[in-house]
Amino acid sequence: MRSPLFPLLFLLLGACVSPPLLQEVPLSPAVTLTLPPADTLGRRVEATQLVTLHYQDEAFTFEGRLSATPEAFVLVGTDSLGRRALRLRWSAAGLETERASWLPDSLRAENILADIMLLYWPEEVLRPRLAGAVLERSPTGRKVLREGTEIMRIRYPGPPWQGPPWQGPPWSGVAQLENMTWGYTLDVRSALVSP
C-alpha cells in the first residue's frame, strides 16, 4: 500500500535542471516565491541538518549538508540508510539537481529550496520576492500572510531568537516551518560546521 506521505514528497522535490532565471515557486495555490540569488544570503554557511517532515500521521526523516557561498547554495540529502537521495545546487546558472534513481521523477527540488530560503534568508530579501502574500516577523520567528490569513508559520524556539534584539534564524539550533495550506510541517535541527 502506498503511503499518503509520498504525494507530499513529490511536491517538495524537483526536476533535474531548472532554467537559469528560475520561475516562481508555489507556496500555496495563490502565493509564489521568486527564488533570490545565492549571494543574497549575506554570509557563508556550512551546516548539517536533521529534517523531519510531518504529514498527516506520518513522518519522514532525512539528513542534509548545506554549503552557502556567494557563488552557490548546495544541499546534499541522504535517507535514513545513508543513501544519497538528492543534491541541489542553486547559482547564477540556475538550479541543478542530481537525484537517486529510486526517487520519483515528480519530486520538486525548487520547493525544498524555497522552504530553506523562507527559514534562513534575510527578510528584506524575501519580502519583495513574495507574490500574493506578505512576510511578517513574529516574536518567535516569521509568518506568511495572504489577505490577513496565516498560511505559513516559521518558528525559531529558544534564545536568542525570542525577544529583542531579534537576531534572525538559527543556523545552530531548531527551526520549524508549517505550511497550513498543504498541511505539512518541517522540523529542522541544524548544527553549524563553519560560520
Side-chain angles (χ1 to χ4, degrees):
M1 180 169 144
R2 177 173 248 172
S3 166
L5 181 60
F6 288 111
L8 178 63
L9 292 175
F10 297 159
L11 292 172
L12 293 177
L13 294 172
C16 291
V17 179
S18 297
L21 299 174
L22 195 68
Q23 71 282 353
E24 297 172 336
V25 176
L27 304 179
S28 78
V31 177
T32 59
L33 175 68
T34 300
L35 298 180
D39 63 356
T40 58
L41 178 60
R43 62 180 292 190
R44 292 179 179 269
V45 174
E46 295 287 332
T48 59
Q49 294 188 323
L50 183 64
V51 179
T52 303
L53 167 66
H54 301 276
Y55 178 68
Q56 296 179 351
D57 293 332
E58 297 197 54
F60 173 77
T61 300
F62 67 91
E63 295 180 19
R65 174 78 186 219
L66 304 174
S67 175
T69 66
E71 296 75 35
F73 177 83
V74 178
L75 167 67
V76 177
T78 58
D79 70 4
S80 59
L81 300 175
R83 299 178 299 173
R84 186 155 127 180
L86 176 73
R87 179 184 182 275
L88 65 82
R89 183 176 193 276
W90 171 239
S91 69
L95 180 60
E96 302 167 26
T97 306
E98 296 172 16
R99 28 182 317 111
S101 60
W102 44 267
L103 281 179
D105 291 336
S106 57
L107 297 179
R108 298 179 53 86
E110 56 265 30
N111 283 90
I112 290 177
L113 186 55
D115 283 349
I116 291 169
M117 289 178 166
L118 286 167
L119 283 166
Y120 298 108
W121 251 248
E123 293 169 9
E124 62 273 13
V125 172
L126 296 170
R127 280 192 185 101
R129 290 175 169 82
L130 269 175
V134 295
L135 178 69
E136 291 185 359
R137 184 180 297 177
S138 73
T140 59
R142 302 171 173 176
K143 53 188 175 180
V144 177
L145 303 169
R146 170 153 174 78
E147 299 175 350
T149 301
E150 190 174 28
I151 62 165
M152 294 182 86
R153 180 180 303 133
I154 297 163
R155 294 185 196 113
Y156 309 108
W161 322 113
Q162 294 178 354
W166 198 89
Q167 299 179 19
W171 284 100
S172 286
V174 178
Q176 183 182 73
L177 181 145
E178 183 179 358
N179 185 315
M180 286 81 151
T181 304
W182 289 338
Y184 70 89
T185 302
L186 296 175
D187 292 320
V188 183
R189 296 186 177 277
S190 299
L192 199 60
V193 176
S194 171

